[in-house]
């Protein structure tokens, strides 16, 4: 449309819009004072004082100074009052009919009154000041959503609408939304409205980038509504948010199994008898709210196959009936009937029947709800707990306790039982004489004193057998307890109960993974690109890391095969694989993956492999002789194979025949661990150090020592005499020990290596490293 073709009315509308846009910043108290929405009261006061001094009419002779000063004063009046400030943040208005906004409105009226116009002539229904007041009680702000709405979504689903000013589509769906909101709220659904103009942070947090948007909140999880905004679609959307297994369909074939599960689930079971084919939404919402306390079933009385069930419990097929079953399935514990079953009636009925008559304590939360901490003398509640076992042996004692509980139900008294083998800490804390109650049941009266686990209790002196005498004794104690709270003379602190019904880790992991996959699937088909960006970013990052690692590893392997060192020709390499162990005496080839490289420690590489070893690196040195070289290296390679992944560990071996004096010098600093004979002793050269392992830290000048065990078959040669040892020192062994006995010297070396990496081995420090030659 060309500007020249705009009529007089159109020009006036455009002019009015320009004036309104120009006046809007002036009506924002934050912009008037020049502060942010998160500013503290100190910052607001400081800004007000500065601007008041600048624009005070007595000091500022500007013609507009008086009006500006009034704006500043009114802005400070709103922001300095927490209630007015909260109203402005939430609704865009401080809740006043005069004052701050009146000055701006007066200026606007004076402008257009000369043209004989009034703003009511335009009557824009999407303006914030003319917004439907029915939404105001549902308006949400960020802190209220995080602190109250999200936790409450684990008890009931929420239906939330995202709206804004100047939103024509919002006006179009308003009648349907208003009708559905009133209907669902009466059923127990939470309703919320977010104004994207005033709550941008919350709208962004919810992922709503356009208005209007409708979403559901359930168990803290957000689901967007993508269908046409009509009553049936919105009701179905809320119903789809609920889990599908909340209510079980009950017939004559499965009602006994359903009601008998009270012992396994430790919950009362609820049956609703109604003539509707589908489970009512009100009943599903109720089942979700009480799912931690009750199990729910639905009986369609008009269905063939429910006649026996209806006849047994004498059901009026024309009136909806609620029945609660506890320990006895042949007779309901409580019944409620009403032609128009309201939410308030159902809540009152179920809240009085959330627990079994003698519930089993299966977790700490149930214990705290059954036995609350006393808040005053009048609110004192006592718990009578049966400590028993599982099986037919304890069945009679439990049935007698249950009968006593049913006959003595009171508001100040709760009954429960516990299995000793499943909650051993609880039972041990309450049973002083364990031998007396071993294999028997016991009854304890207790009262919780605080939330830290402190209780006062009294245990019946004799084991509970359920006899008449036991009933009289327990009843007498309860009567005395009314007038004498000091009867509970013993005190202790209980640890939290084990959660017996918690699902296994694998099951929890499976359901979490399934929920995540379903979320991704839903986002793939319904979310816009802005919502998909985090998921796509995560996916491409994972692919980049995966392929980048493969490429770098491929180049690293190719460079390793090209660069084969040829300088250390005297190095000896011991190589082992997981399924095959091989040893080569003299090899200068670079070991492949799955092999262990063990280098001989000589005077040529002594400085580089020990004295000048980098900080944090250690050289693990095996002591061997020519006769034990092959067997010990094979066993050594097997024991240290799992530790070759550490780049800070190096592996070497030292010939005892060549460097005995160097080794003896080091071991002098570890006399307690390896006593050294006097060098003038005639058996000085007879000591066998083969199988010793030293972990040498060249930088910090210390070593750790592994000394082989020499018990039984671990000795090198048990019948060595002096001459044979002298012969071995000269390189002529007189006996040839088996390879098995030699390898046993390095038994448990892998455990020693684990302690080495943990840093828990004893360290022997030396002043300096001696010369190897």
């Amino acid at each position: 449309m060309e500007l020249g073709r705009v009529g007089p009315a159109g020009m006036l509308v455009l002019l009015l819009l320009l004036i309104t846009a120009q006046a809007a910043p002036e009506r924002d108290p934050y912009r008037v004072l020049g502060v942010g929405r998160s500013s503290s009261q100190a910052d607001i006061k400081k800004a007000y004082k500065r601007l008041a001094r600048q624009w005070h009419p007595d000091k500022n002779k500007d013609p507009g100074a008086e009006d500006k000063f009034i704006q500043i004063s009114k802005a400070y009046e709103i922001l300095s009052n927490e209630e007015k400030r909260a109203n402005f943040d939430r609704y865009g208005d401080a809740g006043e009919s005069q004052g701050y906004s009146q000055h701006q409105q007066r200026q606007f009226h004076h402008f257009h009154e000369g043209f004989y116009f009034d703003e009511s002539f335009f009557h824009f229904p999407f303006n914030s000041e003319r917004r439907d007041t029915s939404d105001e009680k549902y308006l949400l702000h960020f802190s209220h959503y995080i602190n109250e709405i999200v936790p409450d979504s684990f008890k009931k689903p929420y239906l939330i609408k995202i709206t804004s000013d100047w939103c024509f589509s919002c006006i179009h769906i308003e009648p349907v939304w208003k009708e559905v909101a009133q209907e669902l709220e009466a059923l127990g659904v939470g309703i919320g409205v977010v104004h994207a103009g005033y709550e941008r942070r919350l709208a962004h947090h919810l992922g709503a980038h356009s208005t209007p948007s409708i979403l559901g909140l359930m168990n803290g999880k957000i689901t967007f509504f993508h269908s046409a905004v009509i009553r049936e679609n919105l009701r179905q959307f809320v119903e789809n948010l609920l889990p599908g297994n909340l209510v079980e369909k009950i017939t004559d074939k499965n009602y006994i199994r359903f009601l008998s599960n009270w012992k396994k689930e430790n919950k009362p079971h609820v049956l609703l008898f109604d003539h509707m084919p589908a489970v009512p939404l009100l009943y599903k919402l109720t089942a979700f709210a009480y799912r931690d306390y009750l199990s729910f079933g639905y009986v369609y009385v008009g269905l063939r196959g429910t006649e026996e069930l209806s006849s047994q419990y004498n059901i009026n097929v024309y009136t909806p009936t609620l029945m609660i079953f506890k320990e006895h399935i042949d007779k309901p514990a409580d019944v409620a009937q009403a032609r128009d079953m309201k939410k308030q009636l159902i809540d009152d009925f179920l809240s009085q029947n959330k627990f079994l008559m003698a519930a089993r304590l299966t977790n700490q939360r149930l214990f705290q709800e059954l036995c609350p901490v006393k808040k005053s003398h009048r609110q004192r509640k006592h718990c009578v707990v049966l400590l028993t076992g599982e099986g037919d042996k304890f069945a009679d004692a439990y049935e007698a306790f249950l009968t006593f509980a049913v006959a003595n139900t009171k508001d100040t008294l709760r009954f429960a039982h516990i299995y000793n083998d499943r909650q051993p800490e609880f039972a041990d804390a309450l049973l002083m004489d364990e031998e007396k109650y071993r294999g028997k049941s016991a009854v304890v009266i207790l009262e919780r004193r605080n939330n830290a686990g402190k209780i006062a209790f009294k245990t019946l002196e004799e084991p509970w057998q359920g006899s008449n005498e036991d009933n009289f004794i327990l009843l007498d104690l309860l009567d005395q307890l009314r007038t004498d709270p000091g009867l509970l003379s013993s005190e202790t602190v209980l640890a939290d109960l084990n959660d017996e019904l918690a699902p296994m880790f694998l099951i929890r992991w499976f359901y979490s993974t399934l929920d995540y996959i379903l979320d991704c699937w839903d986002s793939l088909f319904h979310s816009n690109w802005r919502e998909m960006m985090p998921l796509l970013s995560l996916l491409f990052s994972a692919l980049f890391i995966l392929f980048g690692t493969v490429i770098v590893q491929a180049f690293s392997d190719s460079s390793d095969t090209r660069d084969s060192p040829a300088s250390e020709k005297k190095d000896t390499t011991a190589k082992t694989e997981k399924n095959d162990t091989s040893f080569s005496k003299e090899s200068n080839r670079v070991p492949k993956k799955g092999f262990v490289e063990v280098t001989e420690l000589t005077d040529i590489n002594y400085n580089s492999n020990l004295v000048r070893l980098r900080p944090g690196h250690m050289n693990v040195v095996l002591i061997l002789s020519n006769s034990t070289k092959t067997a010990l290296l094979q066993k050594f390679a097997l024991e240290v194979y799992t530790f070759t992944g550490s780049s800070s560990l190096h592996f070497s071996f030292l010939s005892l025949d060549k460097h005995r004096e160097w080794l003896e010098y080091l071991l002098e600093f570890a006399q307690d661990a390896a006593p050294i004979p006097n060098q003038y002793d005639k058996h000085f050269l007879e000591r066998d150090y083969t199988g010793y392992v030293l972990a040498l830290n060249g930088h910090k000048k210390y070593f750790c020592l592994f000394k082989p065990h020499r018990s039984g078959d671990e000795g090198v040669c048990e019948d060595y005499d002096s001459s044979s040892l002298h012969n071995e020192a000269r390189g002529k062994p007189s006996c040839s020990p088996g390879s098995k006995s030699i390898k046993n010297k390095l038994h448990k070396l892998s455990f020693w290596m684990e302690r080495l990496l943990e840093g828990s081995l004893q360290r022997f420090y030396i002043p300096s490293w001696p010369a190897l030659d």
Side-chain angles (χ1 to χ4, degrees):
M1 183 175 65
E2 298 179 3
L3 186 61
R5 297 182 181 180
V6 178
M11 290 294 295
L12 287 175
V13 171
L14 291 176
L15 184 60
L16 178 61
L17 294 177
L18 291 174
I19 295 173
T20 305
Q22 183 178 2
E26 297 178 355
R27 296 184 60 183
D28 187 346
Y30 291 103
R31 294 191 180 184
V32 172
L33 295 183
V35 295
R37 288 184 175 268
S38 60
S39 300
S40 63
Q41 287 293 336
D43 296 336
I44 293 173
K45 187 175 183 180
K46 184 179 179 181
Y48 166 70
K49 288 184 177 181
R50 176 176 54 80
L51 292 174
R53 285 194 300 266
Q54 178 183 352
W55 291 98
H56 197 282
D58 295 340
K59 296 182 179 180
N60 194 322
K61 303 304 180 182
D62 190 283
E66 182 178 358
D67 292 338
K68 184 68 174 178
F69 183 77
I70 294 175
Q71 292 179 22
I72 295 170
S73 300
K74 295 301 181 182
Y76 180 68
E77 181 182 348
I78 293 175
L79 298 185
S80 60
N81 186 303
E82 292 295 342
E83 182 178 356
K84 293 181 180 179
R85 183 181 180 182
N87 287 337
F88 181 84
D89 290 343
R90 185 179 298 179
Y91 310 118
D93 195 311
E96 300 174 317
S97 60
Q98 58 183 4
Y100 172 72
S101 60
Q102 186 176 0
H103 176 71
Q104 297 295 331
Q105 291 177 0
R106 185 176 67 250
Q107 287 185 337
F108 178 72
H109 282 299
H110 287 329
F111 176 84
H112 65 71
E113 279 171 1
F115 296 92
Y116 305 101
F117 276 80
D118 187 76
E119 62 179 348
S120 61
F121 172 79
F122 298 96
H123 190 70
F124 293 123
F126 37 77
N127 188 280
S128 61
E129 295 181 356
R130 301 188 181 275
R131 191 171 53 237
D132 191 351
T133 56
S134 62
D135 281 349
E136 291 185 0
K137 66 176 182 178
Y138 303 126
L139 286 173
L140 305 177
H141 56 85
F142 187 80
S143 59
H144 176 63
Y145 171 82
I146 295 297
N147 298 326
E148 298 183 25
I149 302 301
V150 172
D152 199 40
S153 69
F154 289 85
K155 300 178 182 178
K156 63 180 180 182
Y158 272 81
L159 190 65
I160 300 176
K161 179 183 71 171
I162 316 296
T163 185
S164 64
D165 292 335
W166 305 95
C167 173
F168 294 93
S169 299
C170 300
I171 302 169
H172 180 71
I173 68 171
E174 191 66 35
V176 179
W177 168 262
K178 185 177 180 180
E179 177 188 358
V180 174
Q182 292 177 352
E183 179 185 353
L184 293 180
E185 186 179 23
L187 299 179
V189 178
I191 304 297
V193 175
V194 177
H195 196 291
Y198 303 131
E199 288 292 338
R200 295 182 181 178
R201 181 183 180 189
L202 178 54
H204 180 74
H205 177 79
L206 296 174
H209 305 293
S210 61
T211 56
S213 295
I214 296 177
L215 57 90
L217 179 66
M218 180 84 160
N219 291 333
K221 173 187 171 184
I222 296 172
T223 305
F224 276 86
F225 175 76
H226 300 287
S227 303
V229 182
I230 57 177
R231 175 182 175 276
E232 292 74 15
N233 290 347
L234 288 172
R235 281 181 59 94
Q236 188 62 43
F237 173 68
V238 172
E239 193 165 352
N240 291 340
L241 293 176
L242 299 169
N245 58 350
L246 284 174
V247 182
E248 184 176 352
K249 294 290 186 67
I250 304 300
T251 62
D252 294 340
K253 296 181 179 180
N254 64 351
Y255 81 96
I256 294 180
R257 175 193 57 78
F258 173 76
L259 297 178
S260 300
N261 279 340
W262 67 267
K263 193 168 187 178
K264 178 182 178 181
E265 299 176 3
N266 197 35
K267 296 177 183 179
H269 283 57
V270 186
L271 284 181
L272 173 64
F273 296 82
D274 203 349
H275 58 276
M276 302 294 293
V279 181
L281 179 58
L282 172 61
Y283 196 55
K284 288 185 177 181
L285 293 168
T286 303
F288 178 75
Y290 290 90
R291 67 191 184 281
D292 293 334
Y293 303 97
L294 304 165
S295 294
F296 291 82
Y298 180 74
V299 182
Y300 172 34
V301 294
L303 180 68
R304 180 179 299 178
T306 60
E307 296 85 356
E308 177 185 345
L309 184 58
S310 301
S311 175
Q312 179 175 350
Y313 299 115
N314 194 21
I315 300 299
N316 184 353
V317 296
Y318 300 103
T319 304
T321 304
L322 268 178
M323 287 187 173
I324 285 194
F325 295 83
K326 296 187 178 180
E327 284 87 349
H328 300 108
I329 65 173
D330 56 339
K331 181 181 179 181
D334 205 352
V335 180
Q337 285 185 336
R339 290 191 178 274
D340 190 11
M341 197 72 74
K342 298 291 186 181
K343 180 179 183 301
Q344 186 63 42
L345 173 65
I346 297 178
D347 287 342
D348 294 341
F349 177 71
L350 296 181
S351 60
Q352 298 174 3
N353 296 279
K354 292 198 303 183
F355 306 106
L356 296 170
M357 300 303 299
R360 181 161 62 92
L361 300 180
T362 55
N363 54 58
Q364 186 66 19
R365 181 187 60 80
L366 180 59
F367 178 47
Q368 292 174 351
E369 293 194 33
L370 277 174
C371 307
V373 177
K374 68 168 186 176
K375 297 181 180 179
S376 65
H377 179 73
R378 293 182 179 181
Q379 296 177 340
R380 187 187 301 270
K381 289 189 178 181
H382 298 98
C383 282
V384 184
V385 182
L386 173 68
L387 307 178
T388 184
E390 301 181 71
D392 297 336
K393 177 182 177 181
F394 303 94
D396 294 339
Y398 168 74
E399 289 296 335
F401 182 79
L402 178 59
T403 303
F404 183 90
V406 173
N408 295 274
T409 300
K410 298 176 182 178
D411 292 338
T412 59
L413 210 57
R414 295 287 178 82
F415 293 87
H417 72 284
I418 198 169
Y419 289 152
N420 296 340
D421 54 344
R422 297 196 183 187
Q423 305 289 348
E425 295 183 2
F426 187 94
D428 294 343
L430 298 179
L431 298 179
M432 301 300 181
D433 188 358
E434 297 183 8
E435 293 295 332
K436 181 178 181 181
Y437 298 98
R438 187 178 301 278
K440 300 179 181 179
S441 301
V443 172
V444 178
I445 306 173
L446 62 87
E447 178 186 14
R448 293 180 63 228
R449 294 294 173 85
N450 57 35
N451 292 319
K454 183 178 180 181
I455 66 166
F457 70 96
K458 180 176 180 59
T459 306
L460 267 64
E461 296 181 359
E462 298 298 329
W464 174 268
Q465 297 177 351
S467 62
N468 291 333
E469 182 181 357
D470 291 341
N471 284 300
F472 289 140
I473 293 174
L474 179 56
L475 188 60
D476 183 58
L477 284 176
L478 294 176
D479 289 338
Q480 296 180 34
L481 198 58
R482 297 179 185 177
T483 57
D484 183 16
L487 187 66
L488 306 181
S489 55
S490 302
E491 290 187 349
T492 188
V493 177
L494 296 177
D496 289 349
L497 296 179
N498 304 323
D499 193 350
E500 300 178 15
L501 304 180
M504 296 176 59
F505 170 77
L506 289 178
I507 297 177
R508 296 198 304 268
W509 178 85
F510 173 77
Y511 282 121
S512 299
T513 305
L514 182 61
D515 289 341
Y516 182 76
I517 294 174
L518 293 177
D519 289 344
C520 295
W521 185 263
D522 182 71
S523 299
L524 186 64
F525 285 96
H526 297 114
S527 300
N528 55 36
W529 283 105
R530 183 181 296 182
E531 296 171 357
M532 286 291 295
M533 281 306 295
L535 180 62
L536 294 176
S537 176
L538 178 63
L539 179 62
F540 283 113
S541 298
L543 293 176
F544 176 78
I545 294 174
L546 176 64
F547 287 106
T549 304
V550 172
I551 294 173
V552 170
Q553 188 67 32
F555 279 104
S556 176
D557 293 344
S558 61
S559 62
D560 289 344
T561 56
R562 289 195 303 266
D563 303 333
S564 53
S567 58
E568 300 180 358
K569 294 184 179 181
K570 296 184 179 181
D571 293 353
T572 304
T573 306
K575 307 174 182 180
T576 180
E577 291 183 319
K578 292 183 178 179
N579 299 325
D580 182 34
T581 303
S582 62
F583 168 75
S584 61
K585 297 182 180 179
E586 299 292 336
S587 176
N588 58 359
R589 292 178 298 171
V590 176
K592 299 178 181 178
K593 291 183 178 180
F595 289 77
V596 180
E597 181 179 0
V598 185
T599 306
E600 182 179 4
L601 194 63
T602 63
D603 53 352
I604 298 176
N605 59 14
Y606 181 68
N607 285 336
S608 60
N609 287 0
L610 177 59
V611 179
R612 297 177 182 174
L613 204 61
R614 285 180 292 176
H617 287 239
M618 299 189 74
N619 197 342
V620 182
V621 181
L622 169 67
I623 308 300
L624 49 75
S625 61
N626 290 336
S627 59
T628 60
K629 187 174 184 179
T630 302
L632 281 180
L633 275 176
Q634 291 178 353
K635 179 63 175 177
F636 180 72
L638 283 173
E639 291 289 329
V640 303
Y641 169 74
T642 57
F643 305 94
T644 55
S646 175
S647 60
S648 61
L649 291 180
H650 309 274
F651 302 98
S652 305
F653 70 89
L654 183 76
S655 175
L656 185 64
D657 303 318
K658 301 178 183 178
H659 306 292
R660 175 182 286 270
E661 293 183 6
W662 180 88
L663 178 63
E664 295 281 4
Y665 174 79
L666 248 62
L667 294 182
E668 288 180 2
F669 295 93
Q671 286 288 348
D672 295 337
I676 308 302
N678 191 298
Q679 61 178 339
Y680 298 107
D681 190 349
K682 64 179 181 178
H683 301 295
F684 172 64
L685 295 179
E686 298 174 4
R687 186 163 184 85
D688 181 19
Y689 294 112
T690 56
Y692 277 53
V693 178
L694 304 176
L696 308 174
N697 190 315
H699 180 69
K700 292 188 176 181
K701 297 183 177 62
Y702 73 81
F703 65 92
C704 301
L705 176 65
F706 171 80
K707 184 180 178 183
H709 299 280
R710 301 188 179 280
S711 59
D713 61 345
E714 294 178 2
V716 176
C717 198
E718 293 183 0
D719 56 349
Y720 275 5
D721 56 11
S722 299
S723 60
S724 65
L725 290 170
H726 278 294
N727 291 334
E728 181 180 338
R730 299 187 190 98
K732 302 175 182 180
S734 60
C735 70
S736 183
S739 60
K740 181 178 179 181
S741 61
I742 294 176
K743 291 180 179 179
N744 282 336
K745 288 189 171 187
L746 298 180
H747 182 57
K748 296 184 178 181
L749 176 62
S750 59
F751 297 104
W752 181 83
M753 290 291 297
E754 291 180 0
R755 294 187 59 195
L756 174 67
L757 295 179
E758 293 173 357
S760 59
L761 292 176
Q762 183 180 2
R763 298 177 180 181
F764 305 102
Y765 288 86
I766 63 173
S768 61
W769 294 110
L772 190 62
D773 55 355

